[in-house]
Amino acid sequence: MTNQLPLVSVPTLLINTSQCIQNIRKIHNKAIKGSVIFRPHFKTHQSEVIGHLFKQEGIACITVSSLRMAAEFAQQGWRDIAVAFPVNILEMDVINDLAAKITLSLLLESKETAEYISQRLQHKVQVYVKIDTGYHRTGINASSVDEIGALLDFITRLPNIECKGFLAHAGHSYKAHGSEELERIYSYTLAQLKLLQAQFSAKYPNLIISIGDTPTCSITKSFEGADEIRPGNFVYYDATQLFIGSCRLNQIAAFMACPVVAKHEERKELVIYGGAVHFSKDLLNHPVYGACYGLLAEWTNEGLKLVEECFVKSLSQEHGILSASVSYLDTKKPGDIIYVIPVHSCLTAHLMKADTLYF
Amino acid sequence: MTNQLPLVSVPTLLINTSQCIQNIRKIHNKAIKGSVIFRPHFKTHQSEVIGHLFKQEGIACITVSSLRMAAEFAQQGWRDIAVAFPVNILEMDVINDLAAKITLSLLLESKETAEYISQRLQHKVQVYVKIDTGYHRTGINASSVDEIGALLDFITRLPNIECKGFLAHAGHSYKAHGSEELERIYSYTLAQLKLLQAQFSAKYPNLIISIGDTPTCSITKSFEGADEIRPGNFVYYDATQLFIGSCRLNQIAAFMACPVVAKHEERKELVIYGGAVHFSKDLLNHPVYGACYGLLAEWTNEGLKLVEECFVKSLSQEHGILSASVSYLDTKKPGDIIYVIPVHSCLTAHLMKADTLYF
């Protein structure tokens, strides 16, 4: 028997905490088995409640995506925080505040930035060298061994900076489908970093490898060879992860509850209170529906079930337009609540921070 | 000589208030000339500062897109607020709270909703019948005269509800280009509503016509024939409006300031601190750049200037990737601030509420 859902009157993000705990334990157990540090990314939930669930599972070190988020979680008692974003040198005051209180890890990819922060640091920080293993968002190309070596030599001589190792985010896994492709991306990312680790092991024997996007971390059977993993989205999952193949439907722990405000039978649509300011505008190219901003679901005794032939077809600022089957449409009227699995739970959770209920 | 821009260290939305005033005056003067009520949509800015600018220009009645936003602006002293969103019957408590304090206007499109709220209203509210003039998001089709007549007859008999007239949002204007197409959409929307007004004038002689999206309101030479206009975006404008042709570059009054955090010369890219949680993920299909999440600009003595061959090509949660020309790239390094015209200023302003500076 599943829990009752909370009653809502405005768009609300509902979080299934027992499923979150299961999602955390699944990755955590795999991390323990592979003897890697589990440093979950907190940008997905940005939530004190979910942070507490991680703490209860024995997690002590975390990842965030901004210094502001680091300050927020430091305030909530976290003492080992990595900011997995190229360091913003305009925030030296925040960096120094944090470094005075916690073990702070930053991301570097250039000598200029390294030198700049080193000269202004009042306390020691740890740094990762950011490596690009194929996503091409940021970082030094894994194959640019000379450049990486020169940066390592430069950093390790600077005061107040301690180099931890190499960090990569294989974000191209979000374009993959199925476990085979994900396993391949995972292995290749790890292999590139292992090569680097080996290349510099004589000079720098303690450099670690930090990896971990949710798709590959969910699928790969073992983390052996890595030293640290940093997935984030896995705590909630979403429609995108379902389509990549990183999760099953019943692992999705976050969904939106939205009031129906109008019904248009002639074009088989429901208008919901729930728009771009609630869901964000990330979209999924669904094989059947095309552009899809959310999947319709129902909460049953067995948990979440997808409603066939129903999806969010467009979003404006506050309106969502739900394309619905005739049979579904017949059961709904203004004032009813419908449930939608978001396309990207990180962005939805960010927008819904003040309107989240945990059950 | 233009104003100095405020200094920033994190992604910040900069608002050019003197340009806002000019944008307000331009539409306001046209409204005065056409003898129509100017009821600007406040969903774009959601800002007390900008609200104050409108107040100083003599505006007394406003539009918002949620009851929550209505409550916020009622708190700031606004006494005549229309909620241009199908009424959410689950928020009767908010409706009654507001209706006790202010002149509240709501949107109706079904008898069931009308009856439901009428039975629970403790104070009088005004309502518009929501008409669909071609956008097909919500509302009753303008051609469904019998259905509209039946709803009017039903509503006008209900207690606590006073029917003001017809309201339409010609949101399909956002797919238009150039003044000719916009003028055509404006005229056709107005003509459909004038037909309805005439159809029911004997029985209901005082029904007004409320229209007004930013593209058509910016372009149309005269508002004659309408009774009320409700544009919102015009106070800031954005890259989308520039491409529709509703504004000129120097009318854009909102832009983002973002720190550069990394540089990738080999692929001519800058990584900026500024992502989907700052800009939103609305995109523009640019004729040259393709998918574009923002246009790069510079602040000069003559105001905003576009930087050629430079645009935001992708956004993740906190990262923005800027595709840049070689000459631009040569002038920038981590720690510099770059300026971006957002694709959709309403969504950006919503996300940046706590990080907006006015100059």
Side-chain angles (χ1 to χ4, degrees), chain B residues 128-147:
Chain B
Y128 299 91
V129 173
K130 168 75 174 158
I131 305 295
D132 179 4
T133 62
Y135 183 32
H136 305 323
R137 183 172 66 179
T138 195
I140 308 174
N141 269 328
S143 58
S144 303
V145 181
D146 292 348
E147 189 182 343

PDB file of all heavy atoms in Angstrom, chain B residues 128-147:
ATOM      1  N   TYR B 128     -14.233  38.573 -16.799  1.00  0.00           N
ATOM      2  CA  TYR B 128     -14.198  38.652 -18.258  1.00  0.00           C
ATOM      3  C   TYR B 128     -14.534  37.252 -18.774  1.00  0.00           C
ATOM      4  O   TYR B 128     -14.140  36.251 -18.166  1.00  0.00           O
ATOM      5  CB  TYR B 128     -12.799  38.949 -18.774  1.00  0.00           C
ATOM      6  CG  TYR B 128     -12.145  40.232 -18.369  1.00  0.00           C
ATOM      7  CD1 TYR B 128     -11.355  40.298 -17.221  1.00  0.00           C
ATOM      8  CD2 TYR B 128     -12.238  41.377 -19.173  1.00  0.00           C
ATOM      9  CE1 TYR B 128     -10.689  41.462 -16.873  1.00  0.00           C
ATOM     10  CE2 TYR B 128     -11.573  42.551 -18.829  1.00  0.00           C
ATOM     11  CZ  TYR B 128     -10.800  42.590 -17.683  1.00  0.00           C
ATOM     12  OH  TYR B 128     -10.125  43.733 -17.343  1.00  0.00           O
ATOM     13  N   VAL B 129     -15.193  37.205 -19.921  1.00  0.00           N
ATOM     14  CA  VAL B 129     -15.306  35.926 -20.619  1.00  0.00           C
ATOM     15  C   VAL B 129     -14.074  35.814 -21.513  1.00  0.00           C
ATOM     16  O   VAL B 129     -13.770  36.717 -22.294  1.00  0.00           O
ATOM     17  CB  VAL B 129     -16.605  35.847 -21.452  1.00  0.00           C
ATOM     18  CG1 VAL B 129     -16.609  34.580 -22.306  1.00  0.00           C
ATOM     19  CG2 VAL B 129     -17.812  35.872 -20.522  1.00  0.00           C
ATOM     20  N   LYS B 130     -13.355  34.713 -21.348  1.00  0.00           N
ATOM     21  CA  LYS B 130     -12.103  34.523 -22.086  1.00  0.00           C
ATOM     22  C   LYS B 130     -12.425  34.008 -23.487  1.00  0.00           C
ATOM     23  O   LYS B 130     -13.055  32.953 -23.642  1.00  0.00           O
ATOM     24  CB  LYS B 130     -11.236  33.523 -21.314  1.00  0.00           C
ATOM     25  CG  LYS B 130     -10.033  32.983 -22.051  1.00  0.00           C
ATOM     26  CD  LYS B 130      -8.911  33.977 -22.162  1.00  0.00           C
ATOM     27  CE  LYS B 130      -7.680  33.319 -22.790  1.00  0.00           C
ATOM     28  NZ  LYS B 130      -6.770  34.273 -23.379  1.00  0.00           N
ATOM     29  N   ILE B 131     -11.983  34.760 -24.494  1.00  0.00           N
ATOM     30  CA  ILE B 131     -12.267  34.414 -25.889  1.00  0.00           C
ATOM     31  C   ILE B 131     -10.972  34.005 -26.589  1.00  0.00           C
ATOM     32  O   ILE B 131      -9.936  34.641 -26.414  1.00  0.00           O
ATOM     33  CB  ILE B 131     -12.898  35.618 -26.639  1.00  0.00           C
ATOM     34  CG1 ILE B 131     -14.153  36.128 -25.900  1.00  0.00           C
ATOM     35  CG2 ILE B 131     -13.225  35.241 -28.094  1.00  0.00           C
ATOM     36  CD1 ILE B 131     -15.319  35.163 -25.850  1.00  0.00           C
ATOM     37  N   ASP B 132     -11.066  32.942 -27.384  1.00  0.00           N
ATOM     38  CA  ASP B 132      -9.921  32.483 -28.171  1.00  0.00           C
ATOM     39  C   ASP B 132     -10.036  33.065 -29.580  1.00  0.00           C
ATOM     40  O   ASP B 132     -10.951  32.724 -30.323  1.00  0.00           O
ATOM     41  CB  ASP B 132      -9.936  30.949 -28.214  1.00  0.00           C
ATOM     42  CG  ASP B 132      -8.787  30.370 -29.026  1.00  0.00           C
ATOM     43  OD1 ASP B 132      -7.928  31.145 -29.497  1.00  0.00           O
ATOM     44  OD2 ASP B 132      -8.746  29.134 -29.185  1.00  0.00           O
ATOM     45  N   THR B 133      -9.088  33.946 -29.911  1.00  0.00           N
ATOM     46  CA  THR B 133      -9.150  34.588 -31.237  1.00  0.00           C
ATOM     47  C   THR B 133      -8.128  34.002 -32.214  1.00  0.00           C
ATOM     48  O   THR B 133      -7.815  34.621 -33.234  1.00  0.00           O
ATOM     49  CB  THR B 133      -8.923  36.115 -31.118  1.00  0.00           C
ATOM     50  OG1 THR B 133      -7.608  36.334 -30.578  1.00  0.00           O
ATOM     51  CG2 THR B 133      -9.954  36.781 -30.234  1.00  0.00           C
ATOM     52  N   GLY B 134      -7.582  32.836 -31.867  1.00  0.00           N
ATOM     53  CA  GLY B 134      -6.666  32.195 -32.821  1.00  0.00           C
ATOM     54  C   GLY B 134      -5.401  31.617 -32.217  1.00  0.00           C
ATOM     55  O   GLY B 134      -4.660  30.898 -32.891  1.00  0.00           O
ATOM     56  N   TYR B 135      -5.161  31.891 -30.932  1.00  0.00           N
ATOM     57  CA  TYR B 135      -3.959  31.375 -30.290  1.00  0.00           C
ATOM     58  C   TYR B 135      -4.160  29.905 -29.899  1.00  0.00           C
ATOM     59  O   TYR B 135      -3.213  29.114 -29.885  1.00  0.00           O
ATOM     60  CB  TYR B 135      -3.650  32.245 -29.068  1.00  0.00           C
ATOM     61  CG  TYR B 135      -2.389  31.913 -28.294  1.00  0.00           C
ATOM     62  CD1 TYR B 135      -1.258  31.400 -28.909  1.00  0.00           C
ATOM     63  CD2 TYR B 135      -2.333  32.167 -26.924  1.00  0.00           C
ATOM     64  CE1 TYR B 135      -0.113  31.121 -28.181  1.00  0.00           C
ATOM     65  CE2 TYR B 135      -1.200  31.897 -26.188  1.00  0.00           C
ATOM     66  CZ  TYR B 135      -0.088  31.371 -26.813  1.00  0.00           C
ATOM     67  OH  TYR B 135       1.039  31.102 -26.081  1.00  0.00           O
ATOM     68  N   HIS B 136      -5.407  29.547 -29.576  1.00  0.00           N
ATOM     69  CA  HIS B 136      -5.779  28.176 -29.211  1.00  0.00           C
ATOM     70  C   HIS B 136      -5.067  27.659 -27.970  1.00  0.00           C
ATOM     71  O   HIS B 136      -4.687  26.491 -27.907  1.00  0.00           O
ATOM     72  CB  HIS B 136      -5.574  27.208 -30.389  1.00  0.00           C
ATOM     73  CG  HIS B 136      -6.306  27.637 -31.621  1.00  0.00           C
ATOM     74  ND1 HIS B 136      -7.548  28.222 -31.592  1.00  0.00           N
ATOM     75  CD2 HIS B 136      -5.957  27.600 -32.934  1.00  0.00           C
ATOM     76  CE1 HIS B 136      -7.936  28.521 -32.823  1.00  0.00           C
ATOM     77  NE2 HIS B 136      -6.985  28.169 -33.652  1.00  0.00           N
ATOM     78  N   ARG B 137      -4.844  28.544 -27.012  1.00  0.00           N
ATOM     79  CA  ARG B 137      -4.309  28.086 -25.739  1.00  0.00           C
ATOM     80  C   ARG B 137      -5.493  27.806 -24.819  1.00  0.00           C
ATOM     81  O   ARG B 137      -5.644  26.722 -24.296  1.00  0.00           O
ATOM     82  CB  ARG B 137      -3.372  29.128 -25.138  1.00  0.00           C
ATOM     83  CG  ARG B 137      -2.727  28.679 -23.845  1.00  0.00           C
ATOM     84  CD  ARG B 137      -1.652  29.658 -23.379  1.00  0.00           C
ATOM     85  NE  ARG B 137      -2.205  30.957 -23.007  1.00  0.00           N
ATOM     86  CZ  ARG B 137      -1.481  31.986 -22.545  1.00  0.00           C
ATOM     87  NH1 ARG B 137      -0.177  31.845 -22.409  1.00  0.00           N
ATOM     88  NH2 ARG B 137      -2.040  33.128 -22.230  1.00  0.00           N
ATOM     89  N   THR B 138      -6.325  28.807 -24.633  1.00  0.00           N
ATOM     90  CA  THR B 138      -7.545  28.576 -23.849  1.00  0.00           C
ATOM     91  C   THR B 138      -8.588  29.627 -24.238  1.00  0.00           C
ATOM     92  O   THR B 138      -8.332  30.497 -25.063  1.00  0.00           O
ATOM     93  CB  THR B 138      -7.239  28.535 -22.336  1.00  0.00           C
ATOM     94  OG1 THR B 138      -8.359  27.976 -21.648  1.00  0.00           O
ATOM     95  CG2 THR B 138      -6.918  29.908 -21.776  1.00  0.00           C
ATOM     96  N   GLY B 139      -9.785  29.515 -23.683  1.00  0.00           N
ATOM     97  CA  GLY B 139     -10.874  30.421 -24.028  1.00  0.00           C
ATOM     98  C   GLY B 139     -11.866  29.772 -24.971  1.00  0.00           C
ATOM     99  O   GLY B 139     -11.601  28.712 -25.544  1.00  0.00           O
ATOM    100  N   ILE B 140     -13.037  30.433 -25.122  1.00  0.00           N
ATOM    101  CA  ILE B 140     -14.070  29.925 -26.030  1.00  0.00           C
ATOM    102  C   ILE B 140     -13.797  30.508 -27.413  1.00  0.00           C
ATOM    103  O   ILE B 140     -13.518  31.697 -27.546  1.00  0.00           O
ATOM    104  CB  ILE B 140     -15.481  30.355 -25.563  1.00  0.00           C
ATOM    105  CG1 ILE B 140     -15.689  29.977 -24.086  1.00  0.00           C
ATOM    106  CG2 ILE B 140     -16.558  29.749 -26.440  1.00  0.00           C
ATOM    107  CD1 ILE B 140     -16.996  30.498 -23.495  1.00  0.00           C
ATOM    108  N   ASN B 141     -13.903  29.670 -28.440  1.00  0.00           N
ATOM    109  CA  ASN B 141     -13.701  30.150 -29.807  1.00  0.00           C
ATOM    110  C   ASN B 141     -14.577  31.350 -30.094  1.00  0.00           C
ATOM    111  O   ASN B 141     -15.778  31.327 -29.810  1.00  0.00           O
ATOM    112  CB  ASN B 141     -14.054  29.057 -30.818  1.00  0.00           C
ATOM    113  CG  ASN B 141     -12.838  28.232 -31.164  1.00  0.00           C
ATOM    114  OD1 ASN B 141     -11.726  28.756 -31.166  1.00  0.00           O
ATOM    115  ND2 ASN B 141     -13.040  26.963 -31.442  1.00  0.00           N
ATOM    116  N   ALA B 142     -13.985  32.376 -30.678  1.00  0.00           N
ATOM    117  CA  ALA B 142     -14.724  33.607 -30.968  1.00  0.00           C
ATOM    118  C   ALA B 142     -15.945  33.332 -31.846  1.00  0.00           C
ATOM    119  O   ALA B 142     -16.940  34.054 -31.775  1.00  0.00           O
ATOM    120  CB  ALA B 142     -13.802  34.610 -31.645  1.00  0.00           C
ATOM    121  N   SER B 143     -15.881  32.269 -32.628  1.00  0.00           N
ATOM    122  CA  SER B 143     -17.009  31.965 -33.526  1.00  0.00           C
ATOM    123  C   SER B 143     -18.131  31.179 -32.844  1.00  0.00           C
ATOM    124  O   SER B 143     -19.207  30.997 -33.413  1.00  0.00           O
ATOM    125  CB  SER B 143     -16.494  31.184 -34.732  1.00  0.00           C
ATOM    126  OG  SER B 143     -15.861  30.005 -34.282  1.00  0.00           O
ATOM    127  N   SER B 144     -17.893  30.705 -31.624  1.00  0.00           N
ATOM    128  CA  SER B 144     -18.932  29.925 -30.917  1.00  0.00           C
ATOM    129  C   SER B 144     -19.904  30.873 -30.214  1.00  0.00           C
ATOM    130  O   SER B 144     -19.968  30.940 -28.984  1.00  0.00           O
ATOM    131  CB  SER B 144     -18.291  28.973 -29.908  1.00  0.00           C
ATOM    132  OG  SER B 144     -17.374  28.119 -30.531  1.00  0.00           O
ATOM    133  N   VAL B 145     -20.663  31.600 -31.029  1.00  0.00           N
ATOM    134  CA  VAL B 145     -21.512  32.673 -30.510  1.00  0.00           C
ATOM    135  C   VAL B 145     -22.587  32.140 -29.548  1.00  0.00           C
ATOM    136  O   VAL B 145     -22.863  32.752 -28.513  1.00  0.00           O
ATOM    137  CB  VAL B 145     -22.152  33.464 -31.677  1.00  0.00           C
ATOM    138  CG1 VAL B 145     -23.012  34.601 -31.155  1.00  0.00           C
ATOM    139  CG2 VAL B 145     -21.064  33.999 -32.585  1.00  0.00           C
ATOM    140  N   ASP B 146     -23.150  30.986 -29.877  1.00  0.00           N
ATOM    141  CA  ASP B 146     -24.207  30.433 -29.012  1.00  0.00           C
ATOM    142  C   ASP B 146     -23.653  30.091 -27.629  1.00  0.00           C
ATOM    143  O   ASP B 146     -24.270  30.386 -26.605  1.00  0.00           O
ATOM    144  CB  ASP B 146     -24.813  29.177 -29.643  1.00  0.00           C
ATOM    145  CG  ASP B 146     -25.604  29.531 -30.901  1.00  0.00           C
ATOM    146  OD1 ASP B 146     -25.862  30.740 -31.124  1.00  0.00           O
ATOM    147  OD2 ASP B 146     -25.934  28.601 -31.662  1.00  0.00           O
ATOM    148  N   GLU B 147     -22.488  29.472 -27.633  1.00  0.00           N
ATOM    149  CA  GLU B 147     -21.875  29.079 -26.361  1.00  0.00           C
ATOM    150  C   GLU B 147     -21.540  30.333 -25.538  1.00  0.00           C
ATOM    151  O   GLU B 147     -21.753  30.361 -24.320  1.00  0.00           O
ATOM    152  CB  GLU B 147     -20.599  28.276 -26.652  1.00  0.00           C
ATOM    153  CG  GLU B 147     -19.993  27.624 -25.421  1.00  0.00           C
ATOM    154  CD  GLU B 147     -18.691  26.874 -25.747  1.00  0.00           C
ATOM    155  OE1 GLU B 147     -18.435  26.595 -26.937  1.00  0.00           O
ATOM    156  OE2 GLU B 147     -17.939  26.580 -24.791  1.00  0.00           O
TER     157      GLU B 147
END
